[in-house]
Amino acid sequence: MTAADPVISVDGLTKVYGDTVAVDGATFDVRADEIFALLGPNGAGKTTAVEILECLRSPTSGSATVLGHDVTESPRAIKARIGVVPQSFHTFDRLTVRENVALARRLYDDGSDPGAVLDRLDLTEYAGTRFGDLSGGYQRRTGIAMALVSDPDILFLDEPTTGLDPAAKRTTWAQIERLTDLGTTVVLTTHNMAEVEELADRAALLVDGATVAVDAVSALVDQYGGEIKLVVETTGDDDAVETALREAATEVYRDDVGDLVGLFEDRSRAQAAFGRLHELDGDRSIDLTGAGMEDVFLRLAGGTVDSRGDLR
Ligand SMILES: Nc1ncnc2c1ncn2[C@@H]1O[C@H](COP(=O)(O)OP(=O)(O)OP(=O)(O)O)[C@@H](O)[C@H]1O
């Protein structure tokens, strides 16, 4: 393996359970040190695909390599170098955070000092607290600490912030982001499109077991997100603004409060128009509302997902 090789390579991966094709020819690569999101509505095959990469299930056909090792041929080599935090993570309630992390450390020949890992995740203050007495956010963080103490090259996180309050979500995102700076590749499964936009470098969208799109998040939004809107506050003297907007936008209209709205097919044209309008009249409020991953999901999966991952 060279540094440029993907750390995970999935090609035509298929998993069949009886009559159910859970994964159907999924194909994607994960690059070193990136945050990669595996997306899809409930039942799309995310968990099955990830469990194959974690060597917990065997594929029916196709191939998957992790850190250069084939999942069916070298599961032990793979398991020694990955960390896994399941969504339903739980550990010993009556042991403290430090004791749980130390216990995880003893399962591996190599790894980090548990105290250093607690420090890295801002858990030192809670080192002496029993796991069962922690909030959901700190329990999840303990799970990440237990997975990191073996110094994995790849960390798999299954819905890392589901059920957390907004503040705990933000803290968890910041900590996940820091992991890649220290050379850990992160693979996360999530239903939360804000999480993907905030965290992920690239993403694959699975629908009915197949990958319908794999790319950088910004590229997915540009390609499938649809139109970008510029909303310009009405001040009564709007002629010059309207003319400038009409020159650049594909469509211009007034919304229900009378503000001028320009629709753009691509971000760079919208940004250029945004700059011109500001020069024209610096006092108006001008909002650029971009398309997002919700729009990508809507376009490619045929609906949006609710917080539980059901397609609506
Ligand atoms: N052990 C199993 N036996 C039979 N069918 C299974 C098994 N595990 C998963 N499936 C089926 O395979 C399909 C894909 O399931 P999977 O859990 O991988 O999807 P998912 O995208 O992770 O969904 P979720 O977001 O709900 O976790 C579903 O139809 C599911 O019912």
Side-chain angles (χ1 to χ4, degrees):
M1 246 185 100
T2 71
D5 285 335
V7 290
I8 294 176
S9 191
V10 172
D11 191 8
L13 190 70
T14 298
K15 175 72 180 181
V16 180
Y17 296 109
D19 293 338
T20 306
V21 184
V23 181
D24 190 7
T27 299
F28 59 87
D29 285 344
V30 178
R31 299 173 187 163
D33 304 343
E34 72 177 354
I35 300 182
F36 185 87
L38 200 52
L39 314 173
N42 283 339
K46 305 178 297 291
T47 306
T48 306
V50 166
E51 285 175 352
I52 292 171
L53 298 174
E54 294 165 355
C55 306
L56 300 174
R57 297 184 184 279
S58 50
T60 307
S61 63
S63 74
T65 61
V66 177
L67 299 161
H69 301 286
D70 187 281
V71 290
T72 49
E73 286 165 15
S74 314
R76 283 170 65 94
I78 294 172
K79 284 183 184 173
R81 293 177 58 194
I82 63 171
V84 176
V85 187
Q87 194 201 339
S88 52
F89 171 78
H90 210 91
T91 183
F92 297 100
D93 273 337
R94 294 177 62 82
L95 295 188
T96 65
V97 170
R98 185 191 293 108
E99 287 165 342
N100 272 300
V101 175
L103 195 65
R105 172 67 187 83
R106 284 205 285 278
L107 298 175
Y108 294 88
D109 294 335
D110 301 313
S112 293
D113 167 45
V117 176
L118 293 182
D119 213 28
R120 228 169 105 188
L121 290 169
D122 300 325
L123 271 172
T124 306
E125 195 187 330
Y126 294 89
T129 307
R130 287 180 177 181
F131 179 81
D133 294 334
L134 295 171
S135 68
Y138 281 97
Q139 289 196 343
R140 209 68 66 85
R141 214 185 285 186
T142 304
I144 296 177
M146 289 174 72
L148 281 182
V149 78
S150 63
D151 286 343
D153 293 311
I154 304 175
L155 184 65
F156 290 93
L157 299 172
D158 190 6
E159 297 187 31
T161 61
T162 300
L164 301 188
D165 64 51
K169 240 176 222 181
R170 294 232 154 250
T171 313
T172 307
W173 287 345
Q175 284 173 333
I176 294 172
E177 212 150 18
R178 266 198 265 149
L179 298 177
T180 55
D181 299 339
L182 298 164
T184 312
T185 303
V186 175
V187 177
L188 60 100
T189 54
T190 183
H191 297 129
N192 181 338
M193 295 304 127
E195 182 159 289
V196 179
E197 288 167 6
E198 182 76 25
L199 266 190
D201 298 299
R202 295 192 318 125
L205 176 58
L206 281 186
V207 177
D208 295 333
T211 25
V212 294
V214 191
D215 214 329
V217 171
S218 56
L220 289 172
V221 171
D222 279 349
Q223 191 173 354
Y224 301 107
E227 287 154 329
I228 296 163
K229 263 188 211 173
L230 262 185
V231 181
V232 188
E233 184 192 20
T234 303
T235 59
D237 178 20
D238 302 326
D239 290 353
V241 169
E242 188 165 352
T243 307
L245 215 45
R246 286 200 186 282
E247 276 168 15
T250 50
E251 195 185 328
V252 177
Y253 61 89
R254 283 190 187 269
D255 65 12
D256 46 10
V257 294
D259 288 344
L260 278 164
V261 181
L263 296 182
F264 295 81
E265 268 166 18
D266 73 82
R267 189 172 293 271
S268 55
R269 278 181 77 89
Q271 273 162 348
F274 183 81
R276 272 199 306 279
L277 289 169
H278 259 298
E279 280 168 20
L280 213 60
D281 182 350
D283 291 339
R284 289 172 199 257
S285 128
I286 306 173
D287 282 334
L288 182 70
T289 57
M293 280 302 294
E294 288 281 356
D295 304 281
V296 175
F297 208 93
L298 186 66
R299 176 99 172 258
L300 294 176
T304 54
V305 278
D306 60 21
S307 58
R308 295 199 319 268
D310 290 327
L311 203 59
R312 282 180 285 144

